[in-house]
Amino acid sequence: MKSKKIELDATISKENLERLSHFRFRLRSFLRVSEDICRDAQITPLQYLLLLHVRGIPGKDWANIGELAERLQAKHHGVVALVNRCEEAELVERRPAETDKRQVAVHLTAKGEAILQQLAALHQPELQRLREEFSLPGWTAT
């Protein structure tokens, strides 16, 4: 994603700066809590995100490397290395994609699924705090 050029004479109101500051604070707070949850479970935050995105692609229970790179906002080769590490930890496995055998489908192992379910459950209280504070489309209580 390319950065946009900022007009130097642009003035943002105090109210909008406060809103942006608060949003960034809450976002960073969520990320810190998430990082702590992951580290307590002896998994890296990036490994957790990979597990989450493998299962979080709409309409299917697997993801390809391109989809994971998009979701992680990472380079293809970096995602391949992350999948390699997760495969070594027996969290994911690669399989040929059913529709295109040239593509690789990343699936969770039973161990990866169990860890994902446990960590996702631990994230729910912090998500609830965000739901109460910010009204976002599609967010419902679970």
Side-chain angles (χ1 to χ4, degrees), residues 28-67:
R28 183 61 199 125
S29 295
F30 173 80
L31 292 173
R32 186 194 49 75
V33 167
S34 179
E35 291 161 359
D36 291 345
I37 288 169
C38 293
R39 287 192 181 100
D40 288 348
Q42 298 177 350
I43 186 171
T44 70
L46 205 49
Q47 288 173 322
Y48 168 68
L49 285 177
L50 180 84
L51 299 179
L52 179 62
H53 293 316
V54 165
R55 291 284 278 129
I57 299 293
K60 56 187 185 174
D61 291 335
W62 57 273
N64 65 42
I65 299 293
E67 291 167 325

Coordinates of all heavy atoms in Angstrom, one line a residue, residues 28-67:
R28 N -4.2 -0.1 19.7 CA -3.0 -0.6 20.3 C -3.2 -1.4 21.6 O -2.5 -2.4 21.8 CB -2.0 0.6 20.5 CG -0.7 0.2 21.0 CD 0.1 -0.7 20.0 NE 1.2 -1.4 20.7 CZ 1.3 -2.7 20.7 NH1 0.6 -3.5 20.0 NH2 2.3 -3.2 21.4
S29 N -4.2 -1.0 22.4 CA -4.5 -1.7 23.6 C -4.9 -3.1 23.2 O -4.5 -4.1 23.9 CB -5.6 -1.0 24.4 OG -5.1 0.2 24.8
F30 N -5.8 -3.2 22.2 CA -6.2 -4.6 21.8 C -5.0 -5.4 21.3 O -4.9 -6.6 21.7 CB -7.3 -4.5 20.7 CG -7.6 -5.8 20.1 CD1 -8.5 -6.6 20.8 CD2 -7.0 -6.3 19.0 CE1 -8.8 -7.9 20.3 CE2 -7.3 -7.5 18.4 CZ -8.2 -8.3 19.1
L31 N -4.2 -4.8 20.5 CA -3.0 -5.5 20.0 C -2.1 -6.0 21.2 O -1.5 -7.1 21.1 CB -2.3 -4.7 19.0 CG -3.0 -4.5 17.7 CD1 -2.3 -3.5 16.8 CD2 -3.3 -5.7 17.0
R32 N -1.9 -5.1 22.2 CA -1.0 -5.5 23.3 C -1.6 -6.7 24.0 O -0.9 -7.6 24.4 CB -0.8 -4.3 24.2 CG 0.2 -4.6 25.3 CD 0.2 -3.7 26.5 NE -1.1 -3.3 27.0 CZ -1.8 -4.1 27.8 NH1 -1.4 -5.3 28.1 NH2 -3.0 -3.8 28.2
V33 N -2.9 -6.6 24.3 CA -3.6 -7.7 25.0 C -3.4 -9.0 24.2 O -3.1 -10.1 24.7 CB -5.1 -7.4 25.3 CG1 -5.8 -8.6 25.7 CG2 -5.2 -6.3 26.3
S34 N -3.6 -8.9 22.9 CA -3.5 -10.0 22.0 C -2.1 -10.6 22.0 O -1.9 -11.8 22.1 CB -3.8 -9.6 20.6 OG -3.7 -10.7 19.7
E35 N -1.1 -9.7 22.0 CA 0.3 -10.2 22.1 C 0.6 -10.9 23.4 O 1.3 -11.9 23.4 CB 1.3 -8.9 21.9 CG 1.2 -8.3 20.5 CD 1.8 -6.9 20.5 OE1 2.2 -6.4 21.5 OE2 1.8 -6.3 19.4
D36 N 0.1 -10.4 24.5 CA 0.2 -11.0 25.8 C -0.4 -12.4 25.8 O 0.2 -13.4 26.3 CB -0.3 -10.2 26.9 CG 0.5 -8.9 27.1 OD1 1.6 -8.8 26.6 OD2 0.0 -8.0 27.8
I37 N -1.6 -12.5 25.2 CA -2.3 -13.8 25.2 C -1.5 -14.8 24.4 O -1.3 -16.0 24.8 CB -3.7 -13.6 24.6 CG1 -4.7 -12.9 25.5 CG2 -4.3 -15.0 24.1 CD1 -6.0 -12.4 24.9
C38 N -1.0 -14.4 23.3 CA -0.2 -15.3 22.4 C 1.1 -15.7 23.1 O 1.4 -16.9 23.1 CB 0.1 -14.6 21.1 SG -1.3 -14.3 20.1
R39 N 1.8 -14.8 23.7 CA 3.0 -15.1 24.3 C 2.8 -16.1 25.5 O 3.6 -17.0 25.8 CB 3.8 -13.9 24.7 CG 4.4 -13.2 23.5 CD 5.4 -12.1 23.9 NE 5.8 -11.5 22.7 CZ 5.4 -10.3 22.2 NH1 4.5 -9.6 22.8 NH2 5.8 -9.9 21.0
D40 N 1.7 -15.8 26.3 CA 1.4 -16.7 27.4 C 1.2 -18.2 26.9 O 1.4 -19.1 27.7 CB 0.2 -16.2 28.2 CG 0.5 -15.0 29.0 OD1 1.7 -14.6 29.2 OD2 -0.5 -14.3 29.5
A41 N 0.6 -18.3 25.7 CA 0.4 -19.6 25.1 C 1.6 -20.1 24.4 O 1.5 -21.2 23.7 CB -0.8 -19.5 24.2
Q42 N 2.7 -19.4 24.4 CA 3.9 -19.8 23.8 C 3.8 -20.0 22.3 O 4.3 -20.9 21.7 CB 4.5 -21.0 24.4 CG 4.9 -20.7 25.9 CD 5.4 -21.9 26.6 OE1 5.4 -23.1 26.2 NE2 5.9 -21.7 27.8
I43 N 3.1 -19.0 21.7 CA 3.0 -18.9 20.2 C 3.2 -17.4 19.9 O 2.9 -16.5 20.7 CB 1.6 -19.4 19.8 CG1 1.5 -19.4 18.3 CG2 0.5 -18.5 20.4 CD1 0.2 -20.1 17.8
T44 N 3.8 -17.1 18.8 CA 4.0 -15.7 18.4 C 2.7 -15.1 17.9 O 1.8 -15.8 17.4 CB 5.1 -15.6 17.3 OG1 4.6 -16.1 16.1 CG2 6.4 -16.3 17.7
P45 N 2.6 -13.8 18.1 CA 1.4 -13.1 17.6 C 1.2 -13.3 16.1 O 0.1 -13.5 15.6 CB 1.7 -11.6 17.9 CG 2.6 -11.7 19.1 CD 3.5 -12.9 18.9
L46 N 2.3 -13.4 15.3 CA 2.2 -13.6 13.9 C 1.7 -15.0 13.6 O 0.9 -15.2 12.7 CB 3.6 -13.3 13.3 CG 3.6 -13.0 11.8 CD1 2.6 -11.8 11.5 CD2 5.0 -12.5 11.4
Q47 N 2.2 -16.0 14.4 CA 1.6 -17.4 14.2 C 0.1 -17.4 14.5 O -0.6 -18.1 13.7 CB 2.4 -18.4 15.1 CG 3.8 -18.6 14.6 CD 4.6 -19.5 15.6 OE1 4.4 -19.3 16.8 NE2 5.4 -20.4 15.1
Y48 N -0.3 -16.7 15.5 CA -1.7 -16.7 15.8 C -2.5 -16.0 14.7 O -3.5 -16.6 14.3 CB -2.0 -15.9 17.1 CG -3.4 -15.6 17.3 CD1 -4.4 -16.6 17.6 CD2 -3.9 -14.3 17.2 CE1 -5.7 -16.3 17.8 CE2 -5.2 -14.0 17.4 CZ -6.1 -15.0 17.7 OH -7.5 -14.7 17.8
L49 N -2.0 -14.9 14.1 CA -2.7 -14.3 13.0 C -2.7 -15.2 11.8 O -3.8 -15.2 11.1 CB -1.9 -13.0 12.6 CG -2.2 -11.8 13.6 CD1 -1.3 -10.6 13.1 CD2 -3.6 -11.5 13.7
L50 N -1.7 -16.0 11.6 CA -1.7 -16.9 10.4 C -2.8 -17.9 10.7 O -3.7 -18.2 9.8 CB -0.4 -17.6 10.3 CG -0.4 -18.6 9.1 CD1 -0.1 -17.8 7.8 CD2 0.6 -19.7 9.3
L51 N -2.9 -18.5 11.9 CA -4.0 -19.5 12.2 C -5.3 -18.9 12.0 O -6.2 -19.5 11.4 CB -3.8 -20.0 13.6 CG -2.5 -20.8 13.9 CD1 -2.5 -21.2 15.4 CD2 -2.2 -21.9 13.0
L52 N -5.5 -17.7 12.5 CA -6.8 -17.0 12.4 C -7.2 -16.7 11.0 O -8.3 -17.0 10.6 CB -6.7 -15.6 13.2 CG -7.9 -14.8 13.2 CD1 -9.1 -15.5 13.9 CD2 -7.6 -13.4 13.9
H53 N -6.2 -16.3 10.2 CA -6.6 -16.0 8.8 C -6.8 -17.2 7.9 O -7.6 -17.2 7.0 CB -5.5 -15.1 8.2 CG -5.5 -13.7 8.8 ND1 -6.6 -13.0 9.0 CD2 -4.5 -12.9 9.2 CE1 -6.3 -11.8 9.6 NE2 -5.0 -11.8 9.7
V54 N -6.1 -18.3 8.3 CA -6.3 -19.6 7.5 C -7.8 -20.0 7.7 O -8.5 -20.3 6.7 CB -5.4 -20.7 8.0 CG1 -5.9 -22.1 7.6 CG2 -4.0 -20.5 7.6
R55 N -8.3 -19.8 8.9 CA -9.7 -20.2 9.2 C -10.7 -19.1 8.9 O -11.9 -19.3 8.9 CB -9.9 -20.7 10.6 CG -9.2 -22.0 10.8 CD -9.9 -23.2 10.2 NE -10.9 -23.6 11.2 CZ -12.2 -23.8 10.9 NH1 -12.6 -23.6 9.7 NH2 -13.1 -24.1 11.8
G56 N -10.2 -17.9 8.8 CA -11.1 -16.7 8.7 C -11.4 -16.3 7.3 O -12.1 -15.3 7.1
I57 N -10.9 -17.0 6.3 CA -11.2 -16.6 4.9 C -12.7 -17.0 4.7 O -13.1 -18.2 4.9 CB -10.3 -17.4 3.9 CG1 -8.8 -17.0 4.1 CG2 -10.7 -17.1 2.4 CD1 -8.5 -15.5 3.7
P58 N -13.5 -16.1 4.2 CA -14.9 -16.4 4.0 C -15.2 -17.6 3.1 O -14.6 -17.7 2.0 CB -15.5 -15.1 3.5 CG -14.6 -14.1 3.9 CD -13.2 -14.7 3.9
G59 N -16.1 -18.5 3.5 CA -16.5 -19.6 2.6 C -15.7 -20.8 2.5 O -16.0 -21.7 1.8
K60 N -14.6 -20.8 3.3 CA -13.7 -22.0 3.2 C -12.9 -22.1 4.5 O -12.8 -21.2 5.3 CB -12.8 -22.0 2.0 CG -11.9 -20.8 1.8 CD -11.2 -20.8 0.5 CE -10.2 -19.7 0.4 NZ -9.4 -19.8 -0.8
D61 N -12.3 -23.3 4.7 CA -11.6 -23.6 5.9 C -10.0 -23.6 5.7 O -9.3 -24.2 6.5 CB -12.0 -24.9 6.5 CG -13.4 -24.9 7.1 OD1 -13.9 -23.8 7.5 OD2 -14.1 -25.9 7.2
W62 N -9.6 -23.0 4.6 CA -8.2 -23.0 4.3 C -7.9 -21.7 3.6 O -8.8 -20.9 3.3 CB -7.8 -24.2 3.4 CG -8.7 -24.3 2.1 CD1 -9.9 -24.9 2.0 CD2 -8.3 -23.7 0.9 NE1 -10.4 -24.7 0.7 CE2 -9.4 -24.0 0.0 CE3 -7.3 -23.0 0.4 CZ2 -9.4 -23.5 -1.3 CZ3 -7.3 -22.5 -0.9 CH2 -8.4 -22.8 -1.8
A63 N -6.6 -21.5 3.3 CA -6.2 -20.3 2.6 C -5.0 -20.6 1.7 O -4.2 -21.5 2.0 CB -5.9 -19.1 3.6
N64 N -4.8 -19.8 0.7 CA -3.6 -19.9 -0.1 C -2.6 -18.8 0.3 O -3.0 -17.9 1.1 CB -3.9 -19.9 -1.6 CG -4.5 -18.6 -2.1 OD1 -4.0 -17.5 -1.7 ND2 -5.4 -18.7 -3.0
I65 N -1.4 -18.9 -0.1 CA -0.4 -18.0 0.3 C -0.7 -16.6 -0.1 O -0.5 -15.6 0.7 CB 1.0 -18.4 -0.3 CG1 1.4 -19.8 0.2 CG2 2.1 -17.4 0.1 CD1 1.7 -19.9 1.7
G66 N -1.3 -16.4 -1.2 CA -1.6 -15.0 -1.7 C -2.7 -14.4 -0.7 O -2.6 -13.2 -0.4
E67 N -3.7 -15.2 -0.4 CA -4.7 -14.7 0.6 C -4.1 -14.3 1.9 O -4.4 -13.3 2.5 CB -5.8 -15.7 0.7 CG -6.7 -15.9 -0.5 CD -7.5 -17.1 -0.4 OE1 -7.1 -18.2 0.2 OE2 -8.6 -17.1 -1.0

